[in-house]
Amino acid sequence: MTTLFYLIIYDLPDTKAGNKRRNRLHKLLSGYGKWTQYSVFECFLTATQFTKLQVQIEKLIKPQEDSVRIYVLDAGAVRRTLTYGSDKPRPDKVLII
Amino acid sequence: MTVLYITQREAVISKAYEAFEITLKQADGSWKKSTIPVQTVNQIVLFGNPRLTGDALMYALELGITVHYLSSFGKYLGSTLPSCSRNGQLRLAQYQCYQDADRCLHLVKTIVAAKITNQYTVLYRRGYRSISLKRYKSELQKQTNLEQVRGIEGTAAREYFACWPTLLGDEWGFRGRYRRPPTDPVNALLSFAYGLLRVQVTAAVHLAGLDPYIGYLHAVTRGQPALVLDLMEEFRPLVADNLVLTVLKNRELKRQDFCDSLGAYQLTEGARKTFLEAFEKKIQDEFQHSVFGYRCTYRRAIELQARLLARHLQEGVPYQPLVLR
């Protein structure tokens, strides 16, 4: 199964309810990918995994107040990615702890 | 296709919303938490006794993740399987083949022949030409019962391992295959690699919906997953043996990476991590598949073989084991 690279960035208002949603969104995204910077997640997902995530995001956020942007990148775009001061995005094939 | 290996004894794995949280004990006695994107994991392999909470286990099964338990020596203890395929028809076909002595013999000969070819290839690629291994292959075809085939398999294996000291050099003190317990570092490494391979084959057998306890080459006795061991045979030389020889040749592991407890050798904690990384690299190695023609990893190839065996049992398609040149 092919995986695509999904760059997910979000901006949620600094209200009580907003903070709560942001927290929940952070926890949701932690299950799918790597937290690289404040409000930025990098995920390597298959189509099925992404659809699952999409449904959960849509259930959680309020489009009138919140902004979530998802960039879908293919292998070529990932290869051409430049990074300064941190590692290039790379899917984890194995996690050894 | 991500595999999560947990080798730390003091780890606690719990569920945190859609992720897993791992709590690890640090050298100074404090605890450190980290999250794992569990949605992209397919298998969890636990060594020793890290704690997996009930929540986490249930969630893993819900996501379709198989959880494998290994002792800290790398011995396979068991698995928790998501309820995927329970194919009744396939199992009936598997039992039918077991009752049919001729079909059984034919299948077993194919498997052993493939194992011997692969053993020959392992030696050949390292510049060692063992003519006698080839001879066993032709002799195999003349045999008329299972016992004789098993005998030839054993003799071939002994001859094969007899060539190993020349490949490895004197420093490792390898004198042949000893399993219980492994009495030298090389045997310990082999046992560990076979344990890891067995995890992959067990998962593939369950995925294909086969019954792990009804096999053909290995005797169906209590507590022996005969079919898993059967399917492992062709992969032993390809994956495990090649890996052990490469790791030792490249000096990725040294003599001091092994410790001796009561005559049994095992890897130290840090070295185990190195070896696991090497194993994962090996099993995700891509090669041209001889039957299907496309490039695939060894992990995928193991699953394909389990499915091919299922096709053979149900539809009579000839079983072609994986043989590499």
Side-chain angles (χ1 to χ4, degrees):
Chain A
M1 253 182 292
T2 48
T3 59
L4 288 174
F5 179 63
Y6 296 88
L7 182 70
I8 305 176
I9 59 179
Y10 53 86
D11 206 352
L12 273 68
D14 190 14
T15 58
K16 205 169 174 197
N19 286 338
K20 209 169 167 183
R21 281 203 303 280
R22 190 177 330 101
N23 234 321
R24 186 66 188 83
L25 184 64
H26 178 97
K27 281 171 173 156
L28 169 64
L29 293 172
S30 298
Y32 286 84
K34 205 171 147 216
W35 185 38
T36 31
Q37 288 174 25
Y38 283 112
S39 347
V40 178
F41 273 86
E42 293 179 351
C43 312
F44 286 89
L45 303 174
T46 62
T48 334
Q49 288 163 350
F50 179 66
T51 313
K52 242 175 89 187
L53 176 61
Q54 210 183 340
V55 170
Q56 281 169 305
I57 290 177
E58 280 165 17
K59 245 195 271 174
L60 177 68
I61 57 160
K62 284 197 173 144
Q64 312 89 300
E65 301 171 38
D66 311 341
S67 154
V68 176
R69 304 174 73 86
I70 302 176
Y71 299 89
V72 187
L73 304 171
D74 59 10
V78 175
R79 228 184 356 260
R80 288 191 298 275
T81 303
L82 302 172
T83 53
Y84 300 97
S86 56
D87 293 333
K88 280 200 167 202
R90 196 166 52 91
D92 279 322
K93 287 278 178 80
V94 56
L95 298 158
I96 300 174
I97 292 164
Chain B
M1 260 298 183
T2 311
V3 184
L4 168 63
Y5 287 95
I6 302 200
T7 60
Q8 282 226 12
R9 294 177 148 271
E10 304 270 358
V12 183
I13 306 122
S14 50
K15 177 178 179 269
Y17 296 89
E18 282 78 17
F20 271 10
E21 198 167 62
I22 297 209
T23 319
L24 292 173
K25 198 172 192 175
Q26 302 298 299
D28 59 3
S30 65
W31 296 85
K32 201 183 135 217
K33 281 185 179 174
S34 54
T35 53
I36 285 173
V38 73
Q39 304 285 336
T40 56
V41 169
N42 321 63
Q43 285 185 44
I44 300 178
V45 183
L46 304 173
F47 286 90
N49 39 7
R51 271 159 288 166
L52 186 66
T53 65
D55 258 13
L57 183 60
M58 295 273 273
Y59 195 57
L61 292 178
E62 247 173 63
L63 291 174
I65 300 172
T66 317
V67 184
H68 303 282
Y69 298 87
L70 273 74
S71 78
S72 50
F73 287 88
K75 182 177 182 268
Y76 180 79
L77 297 174
S79 310
T80 311
L81 304 158
S83 66
C84 39
S85 144
R86 291 202 204 89
N87 192 337
Q89 294 295 335
L90 175 56
R91 287 191 183 209
L92 286 177
Q94 202 183 336
Y95 304 146
Q96 257 164 28
C97 180
Y98 183 77
Q99 307 289 357
D100 187 335
D102 285 344
R103 265 184 86 192
C104 231
L105 186 67
H106 183 74
L107 180 60
V108 165
K109 275 185 186 171
T110 324
I111 293 175
V112 174
K115 182 189 182 185
I116 295 177
T117 311
N118 286 338
Q119 285 176 329
Y120 181 80
T121 313
V122 168
L123 298 179
Y124 186 86
R125 279 195 189 163
R126 289 176 162 75
Y128 201 102
R129 257 136 251 205
S130 171
I131 310 299
S132 51
L133 274 181
K134 273 205 158 163
R135 207 188 59 227
Y136 287 122
K137 253 186 77 182
S138 48
E139 215 166 290
L140 194 65
Q141 301 311 326
K142 297 180 205 136
Q143 307 308 322
T144 50
N145 69 43
L146 271 176
E147 280 314 309
Q148 290 168 339
V149 174
R150 284 181 190 142
I152 292 205
E153 191 231 339
T155 330
R158 224 175 354 264
E159 284 236 14
Y160 164 71
F161 280 115
C163 304
W164 275 49
T166 334
L167 295 178
L168 288 166
D170 296 333
E171 61 165 328
W172 289 102
F174 181 79
R175 283 192 310 278
R177 180 83 182 109
Y178 295 96
R179 300 183 304 147
R180 291 182 187 151
T183 48
D184 58 281
V186 179
N187 272 304
L189 219 49
L190 278 171
S191 293
F192 192 55
Y194 292 149
L196 293 174
L197 181 62
R198 188 165 156 189
V199 166
Q200 298 307 321
V201 179
T202 306
V205 163
H206 281 292
L207 221 57
L210 290 158
D211 185 332
Y213 293 99
I214 310 292
Y216 306 104
L217 171 60
H218 290 84
V220 174
T221 49
R222 200 188 157 92
Q224 177 167 274
L227 191 74
V228 174
L229 299 175
D230 284 5
L231 263 177
M232 261 178 82
E233 291 301 345
E234 59 204 85
F235 290 100
R236 278 179 203 263
L238 289 179
V239 178
D241 297 353
N242 261 332
L243 172 69
V244 169
L245 286 170
T246 312
V247 162
L248 293 180
K249 188 161 187 287
N250 295 351
R251 312 210 151 267
E252 284 171 60
L253 291 176
K254 301 199 173 52
R255 192 91 206 196
Q256 60 266 29
D257 288 325
F258 296 87
C259 52
D260 172 9
S261 66
L262 299 172
Y265 276 82
Q266 67 165 320
L267 280 167
T268 57
E269 192 132 332
R272 190 156 45 174
K273 226 168 163 170
T274 315
F275 191 68
L276 275 176
E277 270 162 21
F279 180 82
E280 269 302 314
K281 222 179 121 221
K282 179 78 198 171
I283 203 136
Q284 290 185 20
D285 239 4
E286 281 199 356
F287 63 93
Q288 192 92 24
H289 198 286
S290 51
V291 177
F292 298 103
Y294 53 75
R295 295 186 72 74
C296 72
T297 63
Y298 279 109
R299 179 172 283 135
R300 175 91 181 108
I302 292 173
E303 204 194 312
L304 282 174
Q305 288 313 123
R307 293 202 189 279
L308 274 180
L309 185 65
R311 286 280 307 271
H312 167 73
L313 295 171
Q314 268 189 310
E315 295 163 36
V317 183
Y319 178 69
Q320 284 194 49
L322 184 67
V323 176
L324 292 190
R325 0 210 127 262

